Amino acid sequence: MKYVLVTGGVVSGLGKGVTASSIGVLLKACGLRVTCIKIDPYLNTDAGTMSPFEHGEVFVLDDGGEVDLDLGNYERFMDIKLTRDNNITTGKIYQSVIDKERKGDYLGKTVQVVPHITDEIQDWIERVAMIPVDGKEGPVDVCVIELGGTIGDIESMPFIEALGQFSYRVGPGNFCLIHVSLVPVLNVVGEQKTKPTQHSVRGLRGQGLTPNILACRSTVALDDNVKGKLSQFCHVPEQNIITLYDVPNIWHIPLLLRDQKAHEAIFKVLNLQGTTKEPLLKEWTSRAEICDGLHEPVRIAMVGKYTGLSDAYLSILKALLHASVDLRKKLVIDWIPACDLEDATEKENPDAYKAAWKLLKGADGILVPGGFGNRGVQGKILAAKYAREHRIPYLGICLGMQVAVIEFARSVLNLRDANSTEFDPNTKNPCVIFMPEGSKTHMGGTMRLGSRRTYFQIKDCKSAKLYGNRTFIDERHPRLENAGLSFTGKDETSQRMEIVELPNHPYFIGVQFHPEYKSRPGKPSPLFLGLIAAACGQLDTLIQGSGSQGNLSAKLGNGIAMEKVYQKGTTKPAKVLSDGLYSYCNGVQV
């Protein structure tokens, strides 16, 4: 087994997760089987109870593990299925050691950080690295490990010590350390500064780890003299210094690594020279170029609770991007704080109220994601009502489905107090109730999580057609029908409603599961593909194409000219926007 460790220095948010994912893509393209482990030094057992404002979204795995969002990057980039044990936290390590101590496994010894905590970390890595994640039998070839945080953080020290010991345990030729660091350019002098990276590497070496490769983040490619300086002071060969400069979209990162021969540097350290093939990455090259060249926009209004931080909805953003690129559209996200749509905001902050409704009314499609708590629920209900009454394509996920049901019960069935028991335990008309798995006292790990099977109840509904007319699907979780609201998907017991649709609406679908977790570049989630297609007036063509070719985007994604008629009945001229994913928050570009 070979190990590649990715660490970060100078500042957080440099893109270690994308770098680790891209290294995995590159190694897979060379013919190797790859798995990933993310180490998060926080004391939480998992990410399940953390606020999205604290740490971005909580990504849910097939086995129900609630993990760091970087594992979502790993799965999307490498098209693998990880387990909860692929995310190591300080909380998990200490919990495991304390459980062993209570059982007497340490035979009365004094339990200490070294060797007990550090040994537990190393044993965990070795055990999880052997688990296949690509659907094949047998152990993988390379395990990519990302150490969260920044070198110098107090909470990371036990892990750094453990990884230093681990490099000796596995021996030379089996361990490669890639350090991601920042080379800033000061506007005053316009010069690339190496000192932050020098200090970061010095700190890393002072803790027992020496980098084999430097991956330097900068706005532009590093000058040759800068590489020479870094090589001299950091003791890294010049050919092992990679520049990760700013690019229009992250799909360019594996291509940057390939073009700078990062795989050859890794193979030299791991003694894999001559055992692999050249990475071509044709699909990645094509996808990155297509994304760069998109100019015809499709506007999706994201009505949520955590719109101040886009990472809170990272998987949804990626799923929308996968679908829009597949349909050759440039994605524009209009971020709308749900509470800004409510009547109270009209009185307290009329400008925010007007701006929010202007964005909602200008959208080609509306998406209401999941969330917890009362704040913003009424705004989400109003968004669902606007989409239903004005026939705007709508996709509701988890809470987004629930508010659609509540709105329908209130407006169509005239049940004015219809509600969820989560928000009003005493409602006389409960449309949504607590599941038996849920806990009203504990927050962590009490929901119905992981991959679950949903059975379609109606064969000719839009959601079934988008999934290729299958009888069931496996997606990840976290009397109305007589009035026109159709429950088209249920669980295996037929007790839980999983998919709801309005049959006479251009596109109005709510799902209890989270389809965004299984979306991949080149293989977008069918429901997100349907939303984008409906927002562009191409849903019928998309569904017809799925029946004859088995590929939902076959007729839309191969350059065939399509009439650009949007849902509101107007033909929109293409606006030229700059490259990349654009998002607006009440008119402010982020």
Side-chain angles (χ1 to χ4, degrees), residues 118-124 126 162-172 174:
T118 52
D119 283 351
E120 182 68 24
I121 293 168
Q122 295 175 72
D123 293 343
W124 193 302
E126 280 194 326
L163 289 165
Q165 295 177 18
F166 189 69
S167 67
Y168 286 99
R169 178 192 285 199
V170 300
N174 294 312

Side-chain angles (χ1 to χ4, degrees), residues 146-259:
E146 179 193 348
L147 175 61
T150 306
I151 295 301
D153 293 345
I154 293 175
E155 58 264 32
S156 300
M157 288 183 177
F159 291 101
I160 293 174
E161 173 62 29
L163 289 165
Q165 295 177 18
F166 189 69
S167 67
Y168 286 99
R169 178 192 285 199
V170 300
N174 294 312
F175 189 88
C176 176
L177 198 164
I178 300 175
H179 187 58
V180 182
S181 188
L182 177 67
V183 178
V185 179
L186 299 183
N187 291 331
V188 178
V189 292
E191 181 185 3
Q192 294 173 328
K193 292 295 184 180
T194 63
K195 195 64 70 178
T197 296
Q198 292 180 41
H199 285 300
S200 180
V201 171
R202 185 179 302 162
L204 185 62
R205 292 169 63 191
Q207 295 183 55
L209 288 172
T210 300
N212 303 107
I213 299 170
L214 288 181
C216 299
R217 287 284 290 112
S218 188
T219 53
V220 294
L222 294 186
D223 297 332
D224 289 340
N225 66 312
V226 173
K227 283 189 176 183
K229 194 172 182 180
L230 285 170
S231 176
Q232 180 180 9
F233 284 94
C234 299
H235 304 174
V236 176
E238 279 193 47
Q239 62 269 27
N240 286 13
I241 298 177
I242 310 297
T243 309
L244 298 179
Y245 53 83
D246 293 349
V247 290
N249 65 76
I250 61 172
W251 294 335
H252 283 282
I253 303 300
L255 309 180
L256 279 182
L257 292 171
R258 178 202 61 188
D259 294 344

Side-chain angles (χ1 to χ4, degrees), residues 67 93 164 192 197 276 313 325 344 423 437 440 477 487 533 535 556:
V67 296
I93 295 297
Q192 294 173 328
T197 296
T276 58
Y313 302 110
V325 170
F423 310 130
E437 299 92 340
K440 299 181 182 180
H477 288 75
F487 290 101
L556 297 175

Side-chain angles (χ1 to χ4, degrees), residues 25 249 251-256 258-259 279-293:
V25 169
N249 65 76
W251 294 335
H252 283 282
I253 303 300
L255 309 180
L256 279 182
R258 178 202 61 188
D259 294 344
L280 297 178
L281 297 174
K282 289 183 178 179
E283 289 185 10
W284 282 87
T285 302
S286 174
R287 190 177 300 120
E289 291 175 350
I290 288 171
C291 187
D292 288 347

Side-chain angles (χ1 to χ4, degrees), residues 452-577:
R452 307 276 181 161
R453 186 153 290 184
T454 296
Y455 292 87
F456 288 108
Q457 309 296 308
I458 301 172
K459 291 183 179 180
D460 63 345
C461 64
K462 291 184 179 70
S463 53
K465 291 177 181 178
L466 287 168
Y467 276 100
N469 295 312
R470 291 157 60 186
T471 57
F472 63 84
I473 54 173
D474 293 308
E475 290 282 8
R476 299 180 188 178
H477 288 75
R479 270 181 254 270
L480 292 169
E481 292 182 285
N482 295 331
L485 192 66
S486 180
F487 290 101
T488 57
K490 300 180 182 180
D491 75 342
E492 63 278 0
T493 67
S494 294
Q495 297 299 307
R496 295 178 176 87
M497 306 299 109
E498 296 283 349
I499 306 176
V500 62
E501 293 186 36
L502 279 177
N504 297 322
H505 191 284
Y507 191 85
F508 193 98
I509 295 178
V511 293
Q512 186 58 39
F513 51 82
H514 286 259
E516 69 271 20
Y517 292 142
K518 291 194 172 183
S519 184
R520 303 285 185 268
K523 294 189 291 184
S525 164
L527 295 178
F528 283 86
L529 199 61
L531 175 67
I532 297 296
C536 299
Q538 299 177 356
L539 183 61
D540 290 341
T541 306
L542 180 71
I543 291 176
Q544 290 168 10
S546 67
S548 59
Q549 301 182 29
N551 179 2
L552 291 176
S553 56
K555 290 188 177 180
L556 297 175
N558 292 322
I560 299 175
M562 301 297 300
E563 185 180 2
K564 303 177 184 68
V565 179
Y566 285 68
Q567 270 304 320
K568 297 174 186 175
T570 59
T571 302
K572 291 196 174 184
K575 293 182 179 178
V576 179
L577 302 177

